[in-house]
Amino acid sequence: MKITILNGSPRKQNTAAMVEAFAAGAREAGHEVDVLHVGRMNIAGCKGCEYCHTKGEGKCIQKDDMDKVIPAYLESDMLVFASPVYYFGMTAQLAAAIQRVYCIGKPAKAKKAALLLSSGSPNTGRSAVASYQDMLSYMGIEDAGVCTLAGEENKSEEKLAAIRDFAKSL
């Protein structure tokens, strides 16, 4: 299975550890894994201009790093969204990468998705989870699971091992 992980963190800390654990487990299970660091890419938000649906034939009028992300949406069997929780939601960088998929509509091949959330405090990612679940419902993609780490859990090798094991089980 081809898995693409969209890492929405602009930093290399807790979310990066979750992404590395997931990628290692998935690769161990024989899956092809590609990690896109959308949190450090130049991706603007959707303008809602409708160019993609009128003149653009499914291509966005904006020319930025989404040109690297759209092929992953189109070619992946599974999408993994990873983000620190920034003020109760996903990062703006990951949200922009998700919203810009509007130009293609629903990913053609993706049948599964997962969410990895890192937070400094417990119970702060509920709106991020709800947004993810709404997106999957709309796209007709199966939720393979949600992994959340908060506070000291972010440093827990036991928790990261559980994420590796989750990825191996796919």
Side-chain angles (χ1 to χ4, degrees), residues 59-78:
K59 296 202 184 329
C60 184
I61 196 167
Q62 300 183 83
K63 301 301 169 216
D64 57 18
D65 288 336
M66 272 308 284
D67 291 341
K68 299 171 188 167
V69 178
I70 290 294
Y73 269 107
L74 293 172
E75 299 163 7
S76 296
D77 302 303
M78 180 175 186

Side-chain angles (χ1 to χ4, degrees), residues 9-158:
S9 180
R11 303 182 314 153
K12 297 178 183 177
Q13 293 183 359
N14 298 329
T15 304
M18 294 176 79
V19 166
E20 289 169 18
F22 187 96
R27 287 182 181 121
E28 238 179 272
H31 301 296
E32 178 186 343
V33 180
D34 189 18
V35 179
L36 298 177
H37 296 280
V38 298
R40 296 193 301 258
M41 290 180 171
N42 177 29
I43 299 173
C46 178
K47 294 179 179 210
C49 68
E50 290 296 329
Y51 175 86
C52 58
H53 293 251
T54 56
K55 300 174 191 158
E57 298 176 358
K59 296 202 184 329
C60 184
I61 196 167
Q62 300 183 83
K63 301 301 169 216
D64 57 18
D65 288 336
M66 272 308 284
D67 291 341
K68 299 171 188 167
V69 178
I70 290 294
Y73 269 107
L74 293 172
E75 299 163 7
S76 296
D77 302 303
M78 180 175 186
L79 299 165
V80 178
F81 302 94
S83 181
V85 175
Y86 280 11
Y87 211 68
F88 308 102
M90 296 178 198
T91 61
Q93 295 92 330
L94 182 57
I98 291 170
Q99 292 166 3
R100 289 279 298 283
V101 177
Y102 176 68
C103 67
I104 62 167
K106 301 172 184 177
K109 290 179 63 181
K111 301 294 181 229
K112 290 183 180 184
L115 178 64
L116 308 175
L117 286 178
S118 170
S119 176
S121 302
N123 303 316
T124 57
R126 288 185 297 242
S127 65
V129 173
S131 204
Y132 160 79
Q133 291 169 336
D134 287 348
M135 176 183 61
L136 295 190
S137 175
Y138 170 76
M139 292 182 172
I141 297 174
E142 175 190 341
D143 178 14
V146 175
C147 298
T148 61
L149 299 183
E152 291 302 313
E153 290 178 335
N154 287 298
K155 309 285 188 234
S156 168
E157 191 50 48
E158 180 183 330

